[in-house]
Amino acid sequence: AQSVAQPEDQVNVAEGNPLTVKCTYSVSGNPYLFWYVQYPNRGLQFLLKYITGDNLVKGSYGFEAEFNKSQTSFHLKKPSALVSDSALYFCAVRAPILTGGENKLTFGTGTQLKVEL
Amino acid sequence: KAGVTQTPRYLIKTRGQQVTLSCSPISGHRSVSWYQQTPGQGLQFLFEYFSETQRNKGNFPGRFSGRQFSNSRSEMNVSTLELGDSALYLCASSRVVGAPEAFFGQGTRLTVV
């Protein structure tokens, strides 16, 4: 079975400071990894994905994530946080069907990011 | 290109009633997945449809069902509603089954009273 862990329910950071939202995963085979963001009463908005290739993935709004296979992690980062980045962030994993993976996205429990002035 | 459209955005139903939610995927996308989001259980996979056939199903009771039409639009139905069915129901659109990317709609907020 595949799973995702987001160990922090909330992350607080000052505007202008770098931010990191942590994610670790468990899956058979090579994973597809994703970050989504959710604003209040809205759906999930795609931020970035790792499929294969370069371990550092760049996404929307200045976010990036680093895939670390040995640590089974996919932490979300941004060099300089904005107040408008405050939202709920979800990490998700999907295993390729060809490698016998579960054909669905499995999400972490979410991390509330709060960026303050 | 229009995104994933879910209707209605909000619903209030009474226990015991049934409800139907609709999802129109991105043009050209043929796979539709449904997820339930609640504060207690987080985001949970309900089912996935492709070419009018259910391809995968999560761990939900038979009261939860769905279907897909030839134009790829999908509906999900919940019968005999329970208070615990109150949730945000999200639909995701992908080009094909197993495609790595999924794009989500705004969701339907269902409240059961």
Side-chain angles (χ1 to χ4, degrees):
Chain A
Q2 57 196 43
S3 64
V4 175
Q6 292 182 242
E8 302 152 318
D9 290 337
Q10 182 160 319
V11 169
N12 297 321
V13 64
E15 188 175 54
N17 284 0
L19 68 87
T20 298
V21 182
K22 295 179 180 176
C23 170
T24 59
Y25 66 90
S26 174
V27 70
S28 298
N30 294 319
Y32 295 155
L33 292 158
F34 307 87
W35 277 100
Y36 288 88
V37 60
Q38 187 177 37
Y39 295 95
N41 296 315
R42 305 294 292 272
L44 298 178
Q45 185 174 332
F46 173 80
L47 272 181
L48 51 79
K49 69 179 187 286
Y50 171 82
I51 304 300
T52 186
D54 195 351
N55 289 344
L56 184 63
V57 178
K58 293 190 183 297
S60 306
Y61 312 117
F63 284 94
E64 58 189 28
E66 186 165 12
F67 171 62
N68 187 316
K69 188 171 184 177
S70 62
Q71 297 185 7
T72 61
S73 67
F74 190 57
H75 301 331
L76 180 71
K77 300 183 180 185
K78 187 174 182 181
S80 179
L82 298 172
V83 172
S84 58
D85 292 331
S86 298
L88 186 58
Y89 290 80
F90 289 95
C91 180
V93 67
R94 183 172 189 147
I97 294 176
L98 292 178
T99 57
E102 295 182 42
N103 185 25
K104 64 177 183 179
L105 279 170
T106 296
F107 288 88
T109 50
T111 298
Q112 185 70 47
L113 174 66
K114 188 173 183 181
V115 182
E116 298 169 309
L117 289 169
Chain B
K1 197 178 202 181
V4 180
T5 303
Q6 290 188 245
T7 56
R9 288 292 311 277
Y10 302 93
L11 266 178
I12 300 175
K13 290 287 188 179
T14 304
R15 266 186 308 175
Q17 287 186 314
Q18 73 166 8
V19 67
T20 299
L21 314 181
S22 178
C23 172
S24 293
I26 292 170
S27 178
H29 284 198
R30 297 169 59 196
S31 173
V32 173
S33 300
W34 289 89
Y35 291 81
Q36 181 197 62
Q37 185 179 19
T38 59
Q41 299 297 319
L43 279 153
Q44 293 189 292
F45 173 77
L46 280 156
F47 26 65
E48 180 175 22
Y49 286 86
F50 180 78
S51 292
E52 303 177 62
T53 302
Q54 188 180 92
R55 301 292 176 151
N56 197 11
K57 183 172 169 34
N59 191 25
F60 278 81
R63 300 185 297 105
F64 291 81
S65 63
R67 60 177 175 168
Q68 187 181 34
F69 302 94
S70 58
N71 62 357
S72 296
R73 188 177 71 86
S74 176
E75 290 181 346
M76 67 163 282
N77 184 277
V78 187
S79 62
T80 319
L81 284 165
E82 301 177 359
L83 295 179
D85 297 333
S86 296
L88 181 66
Y89 290 88
L90 293 164
C91 165
S93 160
S94 301
R95 285 185 299 106
V96 294
V97 170
E101 292 185 26
F103 297 92
F104 285 80
Q106 302 279 35
T108 294
R109 170 74 65 183
L110 171 65
T111 302
V112 182
V113 298

